[in-house]
Amino acid sequence: MPLKILLFTLLMAAQPCLYAGGIDSPYFKGGKLDAFYDRKDNGDFQVNSILWTPIFKGGHGVQVSETGGQDINYFGGFARPLLTRPELGDLILGAQEVLQGDSKQTEVQGEYRLPSGLGFGGGFVDRNLSNQDIKFAKISYRNEWQSIKYIVSTQWQSFQGQDDPGGYLALYSKQLMASWGSDGEQWRSTVGYVAPDQGANKLRPAIEMFYVDNTIGKVNGSKDMMVTGSLGFRKGFLGHEARLGRAMGPTGVEFANPLGFLNPNFNRRLTAWEVGDFVNFRFIHKTLPNSIREETLETALYPGQLLGTDSLVSALFVGVGITSPNPGQNGVSGLLGYHKRIDNIESSFRVQHDFDRDDTSLFFSLIHWL
Protein backbone atom coordinates (compact mmCIF):
# COMPACT_ATOMS: atom_id res chain seq x y z
CA MET A 1 0.00 0.00 0.00
CA PRO A 2 1.52 3.38 -0.99
CA LEU A 3 2.55 5.57 1.92
CA LYS A 4 0.34 8.44 0.76
CA ILE A 5 -2.69 6.18 1.22
CA LEU A 6 -1.47 5.22 4.69
CA LEU A 7 -1.02 8.88 5.61
CA PHE A 8 -4.50 9.63 4.33
CA THR A 9 -5.79 6.83 6.55
CA LEU A 10 -4.03 8.38 9.55
CA LEU A 11 -5.59 11.74 8.82
CA MET A 12 -8.99 10.10 8.49
CA ALA A 13 -8.47 8.67 11.98
CA ALA A 14 -8.24 12.27 13.16
CA GLN A 15 -11.44 13.33 11.36
CA PRO A 16 -13.57 13.53 14.53
CA CYS A 17 -11.63 16.66 15.49
CA LEU A 18 -13.31 18.48 12.61
CA TYR A 19 -16.62 18.14 14.43
CA ALA A 20 -15.35 18.46 17.98
CA GLY A 21 -16.36 22.06 18.61
CA GLY A 22 -13.01 23.87 18.42
CA ILE A 23 -9.92 24.05 20.57
CA ASP A 24 -11.69 23.11 23.81
CA SER A 25 -12.20 19.61 22.46
CA PRO A 26 -9.98 16.70 23.58
CA TYR A 27 -8.82 16.37 19.98
CA PHE A 28 -7.14 19.78 19.91
CA LYS A 29 -6.67 21.03 23.47
CA GLY A 30 -3.01 21.48 24.35
CA GLY A 31 -1.93 20.98 20.74
CA LYS A 32 0.05 23.29 18.50
CA LEU A 33 0.97 24.33 14.98
CA ASP A 34 4.76 24.53 14.83
CA ALA A 35 6.96 25.82 11.98
CA PHE A 36 10.64 26.75 11.80
CA TYR A 37 13.35 27.87 9.41
CA ASP A 38 16.96 26.91 10.14
CA ARG A 39 19.88 28.10 8.01
CA LYS A 40 23.03 26.14 8.74
CA ASP A 41 26.44 27.77 8.75
CA ASN A 42 27.45 25.73 5.67
CA GLY A 43 24.77 27.43 3.60
CA ASP A 44 22.15 24.66 3.69
CA PHE A 45 18.76 25.37 5.23
CA GLN A 46 15.78 23.44 6.58
CA VAL A 47 12.07 24.27 6.71
CA ASN A 48 9.75 22.17 8.87
CA SER A 49 6.05 22.31 9.79
CA ILE A 50 4.15 20.25 12.38
CA LEU A 51 0.58 19.63 13.48
CA TRP A 52 0.83 18.38 17.07
CA THR A 53 -2.46 17.42 18.77
CA PRO A 54 -3.66 14.77 21.24
CA ILE A 55 -5.02 12.66 18.35
CA PHE A 56 -2.53 13.32 15.53
CA LYS A 57 1.13 14.34 15.36
CA GLY A 58 2.70 14.76 11.97
CA GLY A 59 4.26 17.13 9.50
CA HIS A 60 6.50 17.78 6.55
CA GLY A 61 9.91 19.28 5.97
CA VAL A 62 12.65 19.82 3.43
CA GLN A 63 16.41 20.15 3.72
CA VAL A 64 17.71 22.27 0.84
CA SER A 65 21.36 22.06 -0.12
CA GLU A 66 23.16 25.15 -1.37
CA THR A 67 26.47 23.27 -1.72
CA GLY A 68 25.60 20.91 -4.59
CA GLY A 69 23.92 18.12 -2.65
CA GLN A 70 20.49 16.66 -3.29
CA ASP A 71 17.52 18.08 -1.40
CA ILE A 72 15.76 15.87 1.15
CA ASN A 73 11.98 15.79 1.52
CA TYR A 74 10.37 14.05 4.48
CA PHE A 75 6.84 13.70 5.82
CA GLY A 76 4.82 11.47 8.10
CA GLY A 77 2.55 11.25 11.09
CA PHE A 78 1.20 9.24 14.00
CA ALA A 79 -2.50 8.89 14.89
CA ARG A 80 -4.27 7.83 18.09
CA PRO A 81 -7.84 7.05 16.99
CA LEU A 82 -9.04 5.61 20.34
CA LEU A 83 -8.17 8.76 22.29
CA THR A 84 -11.70 9.31 23.63
CA ARG A 85 -12.50 5.61 24.11
CA PRO A 86 -10.03 4.48 26.81
CA GLU A 87 -12.27 1.54 27.68
CA LEU A 88 -11.26 0.09 24.29
CA GLY A 89 -7.55 0.50 24.99
CA ASP A 90 -5.07 2.59 23.02
CA LEU A 91 -4.08 2.31 19.35
CA ILE A 92 -1.15 4.18 17.81
CA LEU A 93 -0.47 4.06 14.06
CA GLY A 94 2.42 5.75 12.29
CA ALA A 95 3.88 6.14 8.79
CA GLN A 96 6.84 8.17 7.53
CA GLU A 97 8.82 8.62 4.32
CA VAL A 98 12.12 10.24 3.31
CA LEU A 99 12.87 11.12 -0.34
CA GLN A 100 16.25 12.14 -1.76
CA GLY A 101 16.81 11.87 -5.50
CA ASP A 102 15.99 8.28 -6.50
CA SER A 103 16.18 7.11 -2.90
CA LYS A 104 12.97 6.39 -1.02
CA GLN A 105 12.74 5.21 2.58
CA THR A 106 9.37 4.19 3.98
CA GLU A 107 8.46 3.30 7.55
CA VAL A 108 5.20 1.96 9.01
CA GLN A 109 4.65 0.96 12.64
CA GLY A 110 1.88 0.61 15.17
CA GLU A 111 0.90 -0.76 18.56
CA TYR A 112 -2.36 -1.66 20.27
CA ARG A 113 -2.49 -1.54 24.08
CA LEU A 114 -5.19 -3.13 26.17
CA PRO A 115 -6.66 -1.16 29.11
CA SER A 116 -4.62 -3.47 31.36
CA GLY A 117 -1.38 -2.06 29.91
CA LEU A 118 -0.45 -5.07 27.76
CA GLY A 119 0.52 -4.06 24.22
CA PHE A 120 1.25 -5.71 20.88
CA GLY A 121 3.02 -3.94 18.05
CA GLY A 122 5.22 -4.17 14.99
CA GLY A 123 6.42 -2.43 11.88
CA PHE A 124 8.89 -2.27 9.02
CA VAL A 125 11.30 0.01 7.19
CA ASP A 126 11.75 -0.37 3.42
CA ARG A 127 14.69 1.24 1.59
CA ASN A 128 14.56 0.91 -2.20
CA LEU A 129 18.29 1.52 -2.83
CA SER A 130 19.65 -0.33 0.20
CA ASN A 131 19.52 -3.75 1.82
CA GLN A 132 19.13 -2.17 5.27
CA ASP A 133 15.46 -3.05 5.56
CA ILE A 134 14.00 -3.63 9.03
CA LYS A 135 11.11 -5.65 10.42
CA PHE A 136 10.12 -5.87 14.07
CA ALA A 137 7.43 -7.22 16.38
CA LYS A 138 7.04 -6.44 20.08
CA ILE A 139 5.10 -7.09 23.26
CA SER A 140 5.02 -4.42 25.96
CA TYR A 141 3.52 -3.85 29.38
CA ARG A 142 3.13 -0.58 31.29
CA ASN A 143 1.76 0.01 34.75
CA GLU A 144 2.38 1.79 38.02
CA TRP A 145 3.50 0.47 41.39
CA GLN A 146 2.94 2.92 44.24
CA SER A 147 4.56 6.13 42.88
CA ILE A 148 6.79 4.36 40.33
CA LYS A 149 5.65 4.03 36.72
CA TYR A 150 7.30 1.40 34.57
CA ILE A 151 7.36 0.13 30.99
CA VAL A 152 8.92 -3.16 29.92
CA SER A 153 9.03 -4.50 26.37
CA THR A 154 10.46 -7.50 24.57
CA GLN A 155 10.93 -7.61 20.81
CA TRP A 156 12.21 -9.40 17.74
CA GLN A 157 13.97 -7.45 15.00
CA SER A 158 15.24 -8.48 11.57
CA PHE A 159 17.96 -6.35 9.95
CA GLN A 160 19.73 -7.36 6.73
CA GLY A 161 18.46 -10.91 7.18
CA GLN A 162 19.75 -11.24 10.76
CA ASP A 163 17.27 -11.84 13.58
CA ASP A 164 17.98 -10.33 16.99
CA PRO A 165 16.06 -10.35 20.28
CA GLY A 166 15.80 -7.18 22.31
CA GLY A 167 13.83 -5.17 24.78
CA TYR A 168 13.57 -1.97 26.80
CA LEU A 169 12.90 -1.03 30.41
CA ALA A 170 11.93 2.39 31.80
CA LEU A 171 11.32 3.34 35.45
CA TYR A 172 10.24 6.81 36.50
CA SER A 173 8.74 8.77 39.35
CA LYS A 174 7.78 12.45 39.41
CA GLN A 175 11.42 13.50 39.71
CA LEU A 176 13.65 10.66 38.49
CA MET A 177 13.76 8.48 35.39
CA ALA A 178 16.11 5.77 34.11
CA SER A 179 15.91 3.50 31.09
CA TRP A 180 17.97 0.92 29.22
CA GLY A 181 17.40 -1.23 26.16
CA SER A 182 18.77 -2.88 23.04
CA ASP A 183 17.43 -4.04 19.66
CA GLY A 184 20.47 -5.93 18.38
CA GLU A 185 21.84 -3.01 16.34
CA GLN A 186 22.21 -0.52 19.18
CA TRP A 187 21.77 -0.13 22.88
CA ARG A 188 20.66 3.06 24.56
CA SER A 189 20.20 4.46 28.03
CA THR A 190 18.79 7.62 29.59
CA VAL A 191 18.93 9.15 33.06
CA GLY A 192 16.83 12.18 33.87
CA TYR A 193 15.95 14.40 36.82
CA VAL A 194 13.25 17.08 37.18
CA ALA A 195 13.09 19.13 40.39
CA PRO A 196 9.71 19.69 42.13
CA ASP A 197 7.64 22.56 40.77
CA GLN A 198 7.92 25.64 43.01
CA GLY A 199 5.63 27.80 40.92
CA ALA A 200 5.87 30.19 37.98
CA ASN A 201 9.09 32.18 37.55
CA LYS A 202 10.91 30.00 40.11
CA LEU A 203 14.03 27.93 39.63
CA ARG A 204 13.29 24.35 38.62
CA PRO A 205 16.47 22.50 37.56
CA ALA A 206 16.20 19.58 35.15
CA ILE A 207 18.88 17.51 33.43
CA GLU A 208 19.10 14.51 31.13
CA MET A 209 21.92 12.28 29.91
CA PHE A 210 21.12 10.27 26.79
CA TYR A 211 23.54 7.68 25.32
CA VAL A 212 23.34 5.48 22.20
CA ASP A 213 25.93 2.89 21.14
CA ASN A 214 25.53 1.93 17.46
CA THR A 215 28.59 -0.34 17.30
CA ILE A 216 27.06 -3.63 18.51
CA GLY A 217 25.31 -4.72 15.28
CA LYS A 218 26.12 -5.49 11.66
CA VAL A 219 26.65 -1.80 10.83
CA ASN A 220 29.45 -0.18 12.79
CA GLY A 221 27.98 3.20 13.65
CA SER A 222 28.81 5.97 16.08
CA LYS A 223 28.62 6.32 19.84
CA ASP A 224 26.53 9.35 20.80
CA MET A 225 26.04 11.10 24.12
CA MET A 226 23.82 14.14 24.66
CA VAL A 227 23.48 16.02 27.95
CA THR A 228 20.78 18.70 28.18
CA GLY A 229 19.98 20.83 31.21
CA SER A 230 18.02 23.86 32.38
CA LEU A 231 17.58 25.88 35.57
CA GLY A 232 13.98 26.71 34.68
CA PHE A 233 12.19 23.64 33.29
CA ARG A 234 8.51 24.24 32.52
CA LYS A 235 7.41 21.44 30.15
CA GLY A 236 8.41 19.63 26.99
CA PHE A 237 11.79 18.18 26.04
CA LEU A 238 13.13 17.47 29.55
CA GLY A 239 9.84 16.04 30.83
CA HIS A 240 9.50 12.30 31.41
CA GLU A 241 6.72 11.80 28.85
CA ALA A 242 8.76 13.47 26.11
CA ARG A 243 11.86 11.55 27.20
CA LEU A 244 10.10 8.22 26.59
CA GLY A 245 10.33 8.79 22.85
CA ARG A 246 14.12 8.70 23.08
CA ALA A 247 14.34 6.19 25.92
CA MET A 248 12.25 3.38 24.37
CA GLY A 249 14.08 3.34 21.05
CA PRO A 250 12.84 3.53 17.45
CA THR A 251 10.36 0.68 18.10
CA GLY A 252 8.86 2.37 21.19
CA VAL A 253 5.76 3.83 19.44
CA GLU A 254 5.52 6.48 22.18
CA PHE A 255 2.82 8.94 21.08
CA ALA A 256 3.95 11.62 23.56
CA ASN A 257 7.10 12.01 21.44
CA PRO A 258 6.88 9.80 18.33
CA LEU A 259 10.15 9.15 16.51
CA GLY A 260 10.89 5.91 14.65
CA PHE A 261 13.86 4.80 12.54
CA LEU A 262 13.96 7.39 9.75
CA ASN A 263 16.02 10.55 9.92
CA PRO A 264 15.28 13.35 9.25
CA ASN A 265 11.64 13.36 10.32
CA PHE A 266 8.96 15.91 11.19
CA ASN A 267 9.47 15.68 14.98
CA ARG A 268 12.01 18.33 15.84
CA ARG A 269 14.29 18.43 18.87
CA LEU A 270 13.86 21.61 20.90
CA THR A 271 16.81 23.98 20.65
CA ALA A 272 18.95 24.74 23.68
CA TRP A 273 17.22 28.06 24.36
CA GLU A 274 13.73 26.47 24.22
CA VAL A 275 14.17 23.75 26.86
CA GLY A 276 13.62 26.11 29.81
CA ASP A 277 14.14 29.48 31.45
CA PHE A 278 17.08 31.26 33.15
CA VAL A 279 20.05 29.15 31.94
CA ASN A 280 20.06 26.25 29.46
CA PHE A 281 22.81 24.13 27.93
CA ARG A 282 23.32 21.17 25.61
CA PHE A 283 26.52 19.12 25.15
CA ILE A 284 26.82 16.52 22.39
CA HIS A 285 29.72 14.08 22.11
CA LYS A 286 30.01 11.77 19.09
CA THR A 287 32.66 9.08 18.47
CA LEU A 288 32.70 8.04 14.81
CA PRO A 289 33.59 4.53 13.57
CA ASN A 290 37.08 5.80 12.61
CA SER A 291 37.54 6.95 16.26
CA ILE A 292 37.36 10.63 15.34
CA ARG A 293 35.48 12.60 17.99
CA GLU A 294 33.09 15.47 17.46
CA GLU A 295 31.86 17.68 20.29
CA THR A 296 29.36 20.52 20.44
CA LEU A 297 28.43 22.75 23.37
CA GLU A 298 25.68 25.35 23.20
CA THR A 299 24.52 27.58 26.05
CA ALA A 300 21.71 30.10 26.40
CA LEU A 301 21.40 32.56 29.28
CA TYR A 302 18.43 34.89 29.92
CA PRO A 303 19.88 37.91 31.82
CA GLY A 304 16.48 39.59 32.28
CA GLN A 305 14.97 36.49 33.88
CA LEU A 306 17.91 36.11 36.24
CA LEU A 307 17.46 39.75 37.28
CA GLY A 308 13.72 39.31 37.75
CA THR A 309 12.72 41.65 34.92
CA ASP A 310 9.11 41.14 33.86
CA SER A 311 9.16 42.67 30.38
CA LEU A 312 10.19 41.88 26.83
CA VAL A 313 13.79 42.16 28.02
CA SER A 314 13.29 38.86 29.84
CA ALA A 315 12.81 37.17 26.45
CA LEU A 316 16.33 38.02 25.25
CA PHE A 317 19.07 35.42 25.57
CA VAL A 318 22.80 35.31 24.88
CA GLY A 319 25.13 32.37 24.70
CA VAL A 320 28.33 30.75 23.53
CA GLY A 321 28.81 27.76 21.26
CA ILE A 322 31.89 25.57 20.94
CA THR A 323 32.42 23.02 18.15
CA SER A 324 35.36 20.63 17.90
CA PRO A 325 36.65 20.02 15.27
CA ASN A 326 35.47 22.94 13.16
CA PRO A 327 37.07 21.42 11.00
CA GLY A 328 40.46 20.59 12.44
CA GLN A 329 40.27 23.04 15.34
CA ASN A 330 37.94 24.22 18.03
CA GLY A 331 35.40 26.72 16.79
CA VAL A 332 33.91 29.37 19.04
CA SER A 333 30.64 31.10 18.23
CA GLY A 334 28.40 33.64 19.90
CA LEU A 335 24.63 33.65 19.77
CA LEU A 336 21.93 36.19 20.48
CA GLY A 337 18.19 35.73 20.29
CA TYR A 338 14.64 36.16 21.49
CA HIS A 339 12.16 33.57 22.82
CA LYS A 340 8.75 34.50 24.20
CA ARG A 341 5.19 33.26 24.45
CA ILE A 342 2.42 35.89 24.41
CA ASP A 343 -1.04 34.42 24.86
CA ASN A 344 -1.18 31.48 22.44
CA ILE A 345 1.65 32.63 20.15
CA GLU A 346 5.22 31.55 20.88
CA SER A 347 8.11 32.74 18.74
CA SER A 348 11.88 32.57 18.80
CA PHE A 349 14.73 33.96 16.73
CA ARG A 350 18.43 33.27 17.01
CA VAL A 351 21.47 34.50 15.13
CA GLN A 352 24.75 32.66 15.73
CA HIS A 353 28.13 33.67 14.34
CA ASP A 354 31.10 31.32 14.12
CA PHE A 355 34.18 33.49 14.62
CA ASP A 356 36.64 30.86 13.36
CA ARG A 357 34.76 30.14 10.12
CA ASP A 358 33.40 33.69 9.84
CA ASP A 359 29.97 32.30 9.07
CA THR A 360 26.51 33.01 10.41
CA SER A 361 23.50 30.74 10.99
CA LEU A 362 19.89 31.81 11.51
CA PHE A 363 16.93 30.14 13.18
CA PHE A 364 13.32 31.29 13.40
CA SER A 365 10.30 29.44 14.78
CA LEU A 366 6.64 30.26 15.24
CA ILE A 367 4.22 28.20 17.34
CA HIS A 368 0.46 28.67 17.63
CA TRP A 369 -0.86 26.87 20.70
CA LEU A 370 -4.36 25.51 20.31
Side-chain angles (χ1 to χ4, degrees):
M1 182 183 295
L3 182 63
K4 290 182 179 179
I5 296 178
L6 286 172
L7 287 174
F8 177 75
T9 303
L10 295 180
L11 287 170
M12 289 298 293
Q15 279 293 314
C17 68
L18 295 177
Y19 309 97
I23 61 175
D24 289 331
S25 79
Y27 302 103
F28 276 118
K29 191 173 183 179
K32 64 178 179 177
L33 297 169
D34 183 325
F36 75 82
Y37 167 87
D38 187 11
R39 184 190 182 277
K40 313 294 183 181
D41 60 6
N42 63 2
D44 298 348
F45 68 88
Q46 179 180 7
V47 179
N48 193 85
S49 58
I50 302 171
L51 171 63
W52 191 275
T53 72
I55 196 172
F56 180 80
K57 295 176 179 178
H60 168 266
V62 58
Q63 291 184 355
V64 178
S65 175
E66 297 181 345
T67 56
Q70 291 183 318
D71 298 345
I72 302 175
N73 281 274
Y74 55 91
F75 52 91
F78 288 75
R80 194 181 180 189
L82 299 181
L83 172 68
T84 59
R85 299 295 302 276
E87 71 277 9
L88 299 179
D90 197 6
L91 176 63
I92 300 171
L93 302 171
Q96 302 188 86
E97 193 162 85
V98 177
L99 305 173
Q100 184 178 26
D102 295 329
S103 172
K104 181 172 73 172
Q105 303 178 64
T106 303
E107 174 180 8
V108 176
Q109 59 176 249
E111 183 170 348
Y112 171 69
R113 296 164 186 158
L114 294 165
S116 64
L118 183 64
F120 305 89
F124 67 86
V125 176
D126 179 77
R127 297 180 169 99
N128 70 325
L129 299 182
S130 169
N131 65 349
Q132 296 184 1
D133 294 342
I134 300 170
K135 298 177 182 178
F136 77 91
K138 60 176 290 192
I139 299 175
S140 67
Y141 182 71
R142 57 190 64 213
N143 209 330
E144 182 174 358
W145 178 74
Q146 294 185 359
S147 61
I148 305 296
K149 295 182 179 181
Y150 61 90
I151 304 173
V152 59
S153 70
T154 182
Q155 70 174 54
W156 158 84
Q157 180 172 292
S158 174
F159 178 72
Q160 291 186 326
Q162 176 175 307
D163 296 337
D164 290 301
Y168 291 87
L169 171 66
L171 301 169
Y172 54 106
S173 63
K174 289 184 178 181
Q175 276 76 55
L176 295 170
M177 179 174 176
S179 69
W180 186 92
S182 172
D183 62 12
E185 285 300 311
Q186 62 169 229
W187 71 265
R188 62 177 58 205
S189 180
T190 62
V191 177
Y193 169 76
V194 178
D197 190 357
Q198 304 296 329
N201 302 320
K202 301 294 184 181
L203 290 176
R204 191 185 184 189
I207 191 168
E208 173 189 294
M209 185 185 74
F210 173 57
Y211 182 80
V212 181
D213 186 341
N214 294 290
T215 65
I216 67 172
K218 297 186 68 174
V219 177
N220 185 22
S222 62
K223 298 179 180 179
D224 305 296
M225 180 182 70
M226 180 175 69
V227 182
T228 307
S230 173
L231 288 183
F233 169 73
R234 297 296 174 249
K235 64 177 182 178
F237 183 85
L238 289 173
H240 293 335
E241 296 298 321
R243 191 176 357 265
L244 285 174
R246 301 181 290 278
M248 301 305 289
T251 62
V253 199
E254 293 293 336
F255 189 77
N257 186 21
L259 294 171
F261 288 92
L262 298 188
N263 186 44
N265 60 56
F266 70 91
N267 188 356
R268 75 181 183 97
R269 181 179 69 193
L270 290 187
T271 59
W273 61 89
E274 292 177 293
V275 297
D277 297 334
F278 302 116
V279 179
N280 305 323
F281 78 92
R282 174 172 287 141
F283 172 73
I284 300 175
H285 176 97
K286 180 187 290 288
T287 302
L288 302 176
N290 58 7
S291 298
I292 292 178
R293 297 182 177 182
E294 297 178 354
E295 294 181 339
T296 302
L297 172 65
E298 192 172 68
T299 63
L301 183 148
Y302 290 83
Q305 294 178 7
L306 292 172
L307 295 174
T309 302
D310 187 16
S311 66
L312 290 178
V313 176
S314 66
L316 300 177
F317 63 85
V318 295
V320 174
I322 301 175
T323 304
S324 175
N326 193 35
Q329 63 177 349
N330 292 343
V332 178
S333 60
L335 56 100
L336 173 67
Y338 163 94
H339 178 222
K340 183 74 172 179
R341 176 174 176 174
I342 301 176
D343 293 330
N344 61 341
I345 300 297
E346 181 177 345
S347 60
S348 68
F349 175 80
R350 180 225 61 190
V351 56
Q352 183 165 348
H353 184 77
D354 189 314
F355 299 104
D356 292 275
R357 298 177 63 175
D358 192 23
D359 207 346
T360 301
S361 61
L362 299 172
F363 180 95
F364 172 76
S365 72
L366 185 65
I367 299 173
H368 178 258
W369 292 95
L370 302 176

